[in-house]
Amino acid sequence: MRILVTGGLGFIGSNFIRYMLQTSPEIRIINLDLQTYAGNPENLKDVSGDKRYFWVRGDISDPAIARQAMAGCEAVVHFAAESHVDRSILDPGPFLKTNVLGTQVLLDAARAEKVKRFIHVSTDEVYGSISGRRRSSEKDPLFPNSPYAASKAASDHLARAAFITHGLPVIITRASNNFGPYQYPEKALPLMITNFLENKPYPLYGDGLNVRDWLYVKDHVAAIAYVLKHGEVGGIYNIGGDTSLKNKELVSCVRKIMGISPSLVASVPDRLGHDRRYALNDSKLRKLGFKFAHPFEKALFETIEWYKTHESWWRPLKKSDGYAAYYQKQYEKGTVPFSEIR
Ligand code: NAD
Ligand code: DAU
């Protein structure tokens, strides 16, 4: 089977490509990735010589490139996106272009190329902040709160519309917070681990009581591969982590494993519009037969080990000027000097 993966140089896409190459000997993978700040060829260095894998550098919102890359593919697995909430608050433009327009361009190309499966990879953030002990199920309405979440919700609607209007065989997956190897060190967990390794404070937003459900990326990519094979066309599948933690609790787990003092946790002003809690009901995926394989504690331990042993991967990313400049604004009113955090 020949498949198009979009955004395969990013965190989850690269883990997905590696998983598919390991588990599907007959697979051929075209990876369409623009190599934005988050796209890193180093993420797939170990498989770059594999003849079953080919990277096309290009923008998903370019219709000609999208069609060219998709030609002859049976399936599309669409990861490419602007993915960081904080960046979407500072500058939503790229989120609209890639996440909304880019997704529509791919859906149109998939229709023209008559692909047999289009997996649209989405997020629990589209359901918005969930109160009490509730968990979002696939039939819940969407109430996105950040520009990132709104752009993903728009792309979910477009994907569903392509199924209803044109019969395009779309399946939507919505996952909770991923963690694991190759995650760009702007996201909470890799930022926390690498800051601790550098003996720098981790900036904890607001009161630290926001709840996220943590999903190991290796379970996420296995679930996507499972849905690609067994999912019902037109269906939506939540992929949860079953590990709900307040941000404070997560920091505590990491501190304990790494032997870090509480003084390296710095309270900073809250993220604007910070969603209090996400939680997914993923019984539909479990009923389909998918089994999660990675318990949280072991996966967290392995992830910390990975960042400890891959300094040459993350150090250059943290040093890049663009990265630092982007966040400076966010911390200039904070309680901690920016230079100590990043
Ligand atoms: P990422 O930011 O690590 O990677 C995104 C990739 O997309 C990069 O390789 C980048 O170069 C590429 N890209 C961006 N714009 C592009 C464009 N216009 N054309 C081609 N390529 C482009 O993201 P991630 O964390 O791996 O997330 C992947 C997908 O999974 C996203 O759709 C995201 O919304 C979704 N998701 C992420 C999480 C999470 O916790 N990280 C959870 C649920 C869902
Ligand atoms: O829920 C799935 C989503 O998870 C994905 O769709 C997004 O692409 C992904 O970025 C992630 O979004 P979050 O905003 O939940 O993740 P982030 O890692 O940015 O933050 C996790 C929590 O930690 C959140 O409550 C904000 C908080 N945080 C984050 C950072 C970067 C801090 O307290 N300090 C920080 O420096």
Side-chain angles (χ1 to χ4, degrees), residues 83 123-125 148 177 187-188 202-203 205 212 247 271 274:
S83 69
T123 168
D124 59 2
E125 301 206 7
Y148 161 70
N177 279 66
K187 305 283 165 61
Y202 170 70
Y205 296 166
R212 295 293 183 268
N247 288 339
R271 171 185 277 176
H274 195 175

Side-chain angles (χ1 to χ4, degrees), residues 78-298:
H78 173 34
F79 294 95
E82 288 295 334
S83 69
H84 193 40
V85 173
D86 292 327
R87 289 183 189 250
S88 80
I89 294 166
L90 292 174
D91 182 11
F95 289 74
L96 299 189
K97 179 160 187 269
T98 291
N99 301 4
V100 184
L101 180 64
T103 298
Q104 185 60 52
V105 167
L106 290 173
L107 293 165
D108 290 342
R111 192 152 59 90
E113 295 296 331
K114 298 188 172 44
V115 304
K116 296 196 177 69
R117 280 279 187 289
F118 188 109
I119 309 289
H120 174 65
V121 179
S122 190
T123 168
D124 59 2
E125 301 206 7
V126 297
Y127 296 116
S129 200
I130 305 301
S131 59
R133 299 169 73 85
R134 243 171 37 79
R135 291 182 169 267
S136 304
S137 78
E138 290 86 351
K139 288 189 175 141
D140 283 359
L142 308 188
F143 286 108
N145 291 319
S146 70
Y148 161 70
S151 70
K152 290 298 289 187
S155 67
D156 285 22
H157 286 313
L158 292 170
R160 181 179 170 276
F163 169 68
I164 300 287
T165 309
H166 299 293
L168 187 72
V170 170
I171 300 176
I172 298 173
T173 61
R174 294 186 181 137
S176 57
N177 279 66
N178 280 225
F179 68 100
Y182 300 104
Q183 187 168 30
Y184 196 86
E186 64 185 350
K187 305 283 165 61
L189 251 175
L191 179 70
M192 193 186 302
I193 296 167
T194 57
N195 272 19
F196 288 159
L197 288 172
E198 293 181 298
N199 205 30
K200 283 184 182 172
Y202 170 70
L204 183 66
Y205 296 166
D207 60 9
L209 298 179
N210 305 68
V211 175
R212 295 293 183 268
D213 184 6
W214 293 95
L215 168 66
Y216 193 43
V217 67
K218 293 186 184 178
D219 271 332
H220 186 192
V221 300
I224 290 172
Y226 193 87
V227 167
L228 175 63
K229 206 166 171 188
H230 303 286
E232 186 193 353
V233 163
I236 303 174
Y237 295 89
N238 285 346
I239 308 174
D242 212 18
T243 306
S244 282
L245 291 173
K246 297 186 178 94
N247 288 339
K248 269 186 172 173
E249 295 170 330
L250 179 70
V251 181
S252 228
C253 290
V254 173
R255 274 202 309 99
K256 278 183 192 135
I257 296 173
M258 296 182 71
I260 299 292
S261 141
S263 63
L264 268 196
V265 181
S267 286
V268 299
D270 210 351
R271 171 185 277 176
L272 298 178
H274 195 175
D275 278 340
R276 200 60 167 168
R277 174 172 175 265
Y278 304 131
L280 287 178
N281 176 342
D282 62 9
S283 54
K284 188 175 168 186
L285 175 71
R286 290 172 197 263
K287 271 191 206 131
L288 191 69
F290 180 73
K291 290 189 174 49
F292 291 82
H294 299 278
F296 174 74
E297 287 78 9
K298 189 164 177 280

Side-chain angles (χ1 to χ4, degrees), residues 304-318:
I304 292 171
E305 282 306 301
W306 190 87
Y307 286 93
K308 275 188 189 168
T309 53
H310 288 75
E311 290 205 5
S312 60
W313 179 84
W314 55 262
R315 277 196 190 276
L317 301 179
K318 290 188 91 170

